[in-house]
């Protein structure tokens, strides 16, 4: 028997350091996270603050950023870590992505030296958590329509508006909030204890239940002038961070798919139907073979994009191709694996439907599948079809 990794000789494409990082994160995931994750999902909780220092000690927070206590790994190493975290649960990878690729990246790319010194070292260590507030109740795919406003008042800024679906929102020490100003969209660092700022955890989710999602309310939030991220101007600033997070998803979603496929193969080999193992039927083998091929192709594409990113050559539409492919194939694999597990597949005793449900969010956030089709459509034809 071979694993999908062996089938595609994935290891032969990795450096020693990449394999080491992957194996370290895999061990942490199996030992520290997997034993609890079904309960967190069932209870709709995620101990973000408790886990953050442990994830920080492993160098996973702001992992691919340089300086300020960050690990400074390659993009591919970061991707492989995302894959292992998401093999446990998309919620864990989401927490790490939002902290590192969104909140810390915004500060790293667009912040002043003082802002970087103040926030990045404690965020890298997991002593402080960040969130990234871009989406609003009426503006998700089209964040340019945002209604949150920041107005100058002397040397201060005053923010009013609301944000929705914000990962880590109610556990964050600092929110990176994007708001419309007279000079276009700008980013602000809002400490969670600022008067007028409230974060309310959202409940009744059927997906990403092991993840904190919140609504942010900004009611006359007064910030000093130096709360503005000086280097991020216009919508391209938040979009630049989203491109980083999407890159993590290119790898991450395939981790969830790989976990589903491993569970389905394991189950099919021991479950007997009509007097022989389910794995010995041609229909089952066809399903497994097709899923293995899609998973392997996805992994090869992810690695290719990782190499391009490490050479500084990765273009946004290439990230879109990877995000679209990985999430679309991962959710198809998760659903197909669920059929193999029959009724057992609908329980939390197996990871498969938990992953499938999580992947509904992963398909939607960081640009929906349709938005990435539109990005690719524009790249291929030269015609924008968003409106
Ligand atoms: C669990 C979770 C966590 C999240 N975390 C964060 C976070 O930390 N920070 C943050 O800012 N946001 C976050 N989001 C929000 C996420 O980014 C948005 O949900 C996403 O951008 C889609 O926006 P929407 O939900 O408003 O859908 P809409 O934009 O209303 O889209 C609805 C449907 O219309 C389609 N559509 C949109 N435009 C077009 C078009 N031009 N042509 C054809 N079809 C179109 C979409 O693809 C989708 O199918 C999170 C979401 C979830 C579910």
């Amino acid at each position: 028997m071979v694993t999908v990794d062996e089938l595609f000789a994935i290891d032969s494409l990795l450096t020693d350091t990449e394999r080491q990082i992957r194996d370290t994160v895999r061990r942490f995931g199996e030992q520290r996270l997997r034993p609890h994750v079904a309960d967190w999902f069932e209870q709709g909780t995620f101990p973000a603050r408790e886990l953050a220092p442990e994830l920080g000690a492993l160098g996973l927070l702001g992992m691919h950023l340089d300086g300020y206590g960050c690990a400074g790994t390659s993009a591919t190493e970061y991707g492989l870590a995302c894959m292992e975290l998401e093999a446990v649960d998309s919620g864990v990878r989401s927490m790490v992505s939002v902290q590192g690729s969104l909140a810390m990246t915004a500060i790293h790319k667009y912040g002043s030296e003082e802002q970087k010194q103040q926030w990045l070292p404690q965020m890298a260590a997991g002593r402080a958590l960040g969130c990234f507030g871009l989406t609003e109740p009426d503006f998700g795919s089209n964040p340019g329509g945002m209604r949150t406003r920041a107005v100058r008042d002397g040397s201060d800024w005053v923010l009013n508006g609301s944000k929705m679906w914000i990962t880590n929102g109610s556990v964050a020490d600092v929110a990176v909030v994007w708001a419309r100003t007279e000079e276009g969209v700008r980013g602000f660092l809002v400490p969670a204890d600022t008067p007028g700022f409230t974060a309310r955890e959202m409940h009744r989710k059927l997906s990403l239940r092991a993840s904190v999602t919140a609504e942010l309310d900004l009611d006359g939030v007064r910030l000093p002038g130096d709360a503005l991220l000086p280097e991020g101007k216009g919508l391209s600033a938040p979009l630049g961070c989203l491109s980083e997070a999407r890159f993590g998803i290119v790898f991450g979603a395939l981790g969830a798919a790989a976990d589903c496929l491993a569970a389905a193969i394991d189950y099919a080999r021991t479950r007997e139907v009509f007097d022989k193992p389910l794995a010995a039927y041609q229909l089952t083998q066809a399903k497994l073979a097709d899923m293995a091929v899609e998973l392997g192709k996805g992994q090869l594409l992810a690695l290719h994009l990782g190499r391009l990113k490490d050479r500084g050559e990765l273009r946004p539409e290439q990230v879109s191709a990877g995000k679209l492919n990985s999430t679309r194939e991962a959710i198809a694999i998760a659903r197909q694996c669920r059929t193999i597990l029959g009724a057992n597949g609908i329980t939390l005793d197996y990871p498969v439907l938990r992953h499938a449900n999580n992947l509904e969010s992963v398909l939607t956030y960081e640009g929906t599948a349709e938005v990435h089709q539109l990005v690719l459509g524009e790249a291929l034809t030269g015609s924008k079809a968003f409106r």
Side-chain angles (χ1 to χ4, degrees):
M1 285 191 349
V2 293
T3 63
V4 176
D5 280 11
E6 287 163 354
L7 187 65
F8 286 86
I10 298 290
D11 266 30
S12 71
L13 302 172
L14 304 180
T15 65
D16 287 347
T17 313
E18 286 166 351
R19 279 195 293 272
Q20 251 167 29
I21 289 178
R22 179 196 62 187
D23 295 346
T24 304
V25 181
R26 185 174 292 177
R27 250 192 325 275
F28 176 77
E30 291 307 314
Q31 291 169 5
R32 177 67 179 98
L33 304 172
R34 194 179 289 277
H36 309 289
V37 75
D39 289 339
W40 295 333
F41 188 96
E42 187 167 31
Q43 290 153 16
T45 57
F46 183 68
R49 296 203 71 92
E50 183 188 323
L51 288 173
E54 297 176 48
L55 294 162
L58 280 175
L60 296 175
L61 304 178
M63 180 174 176
H64 57 307
L65 301 175
D66 285 320
Y68 307 97
C70 302
T73 66
S74 71
T76 306
E77 288 160 357
Y78 169 61
L80 291 166
C82 287
M83 201 180 262
E84 294 307 323
L85 292 174
E86 197 149 356
V88 179
D89 195 90
S90 303
V92 184
R93 200 267 311 136
S94 297
M95 182 265 181
V96 168
S97 287
V98 168
Q99 175 84 346
S101 289
L102 293 179
M104 291 175 73
T105 293
I107 299 170
H108 198 272
K109 261 185 184 216
Y110 309 124
S112 65
E113 190 51 38
E114 292 71 36
Q115 289 168 334
K116 293 180 198 181
Q117 296 287 358
Q118 182 186 356
W119 288 109
L120 292 178
Q122 40 171 342
M123 290 173 85
R127 289 193 304 276
L129 284 176
C131 68
F132 186 88
L134 179 65
T135 302
E136 299 189 354
D138 293 328
F139 298 95
S141 301
N142 175 23
M146 71 174 65
R147 295 204 181 103
T148 299
R149 304 224 163 236
V151 178
R152 276 231 181 248
D153 184 21
S155 61
D156 291 349
W157 287 93
V158 179
L159 271 65
N160 281 288
S162 61
K163 299 286 174 182
M164 200 168 176
W165 301 112
I166 307 306
T167 303
N168 298 350
S170 52
V171 289
D173 301 280
V174 61
V176 175
V177 172
W178 299 94
R180 184 182 294 290
T181 72
E182 275 186 353
E183 349 148 0
V185 170
R186 301 298 302 262
F188 295 86
L189 297 184
V190 185
D193 56 4
T194 312
F197 175 86
T198 39
R200 248 186 333 276
E201 187 169 358
M202 298 171 67
H203 296 288
R204 296 169 67 83
K205 288 181 298 172
L206 297 174
S207 172
L208 275 196
R209 289 181 54 75
S211 173
V212 177
T213 314
E215 281 177 75
L216 309 182
D217 200 45
L218 300 122
D219 183 9
V221 170
R222 181 172 287 278
L223 298 170
D226 63 7
L228 175 80
L229 292 172
E231 306 302 332
K233 294 180 186 149
L235 200 58
S236 60
L239 296 185
C241 302
L242 290 177
S243 200
E244 292 296 319
R246 284 168 186 160
F247 172 80
I249 294 173
V250 174
F251 283 81
L254 299 174
D259 195 51
C260 291
L261 186 53
I265 292 172
D266 199 40
Y267 188 86
R269 293 183 60 241
T270 50
R271 172 75 176 178
E272 297 223 341
V273 291
F274 296 96
D275 307 322
K276 66 174 183 178
L278 185 54
Y281 288 89
Q282 290 182 348
L283 280 176
T284 310
Q285 293 194 1
K287 289 181 185 177
L288 296 175
D290 288 351
M291 290 191 285
V293 168
E294 283 309 328
L295 180 58
K297 278 156 55 182
Q299 287 177 342
L300 293 174
L301 175 60
L303 277 176
H304 175 58
L305 297 182
R307 303 289 179 228
L308 286 178
K309 188 162 166 58
D310 283 325
R311 294 205 301 266
E313 293 169 11
L314 187 63
R315 295 197 305 272
E317 63 270 25
Q318 294 171 324
V319 182
S320 283
K323 201 268 179 179
L324 176 64
N325 182 67
S326 290
T327 52
R328 196 164 60 183
E329 295 310 326
I331 204 166
I333 288 171
R335 288 172 181 158
Q336 184 71 289
C337 287
R338 216 288 304 155
T339 68
I340 291 175
L341 271 74
N344 279 320
I346 72 152
T347 70
L348 277 171
D349 295 340
Y350 296 88
V352 176
L353 192 59
R354 175 169 56 77
H355 281 308
N357 278 7
N358 284 339
L359 288 164
E360 295 287 349
S361 291
V362 182
L363 191 71
T364 295
Y365 66 26
E366 309 292 347
T368 64
E370 293 80 2
V371 162
H372 291 297
Q373 286 174 317
L374 291 170
V375 171
L376 289 164
E378 183 186 352
L380 292 168
T381 66
S383 296
K384 257 190 203 298
F386 288 87
R387 299 179 178 276

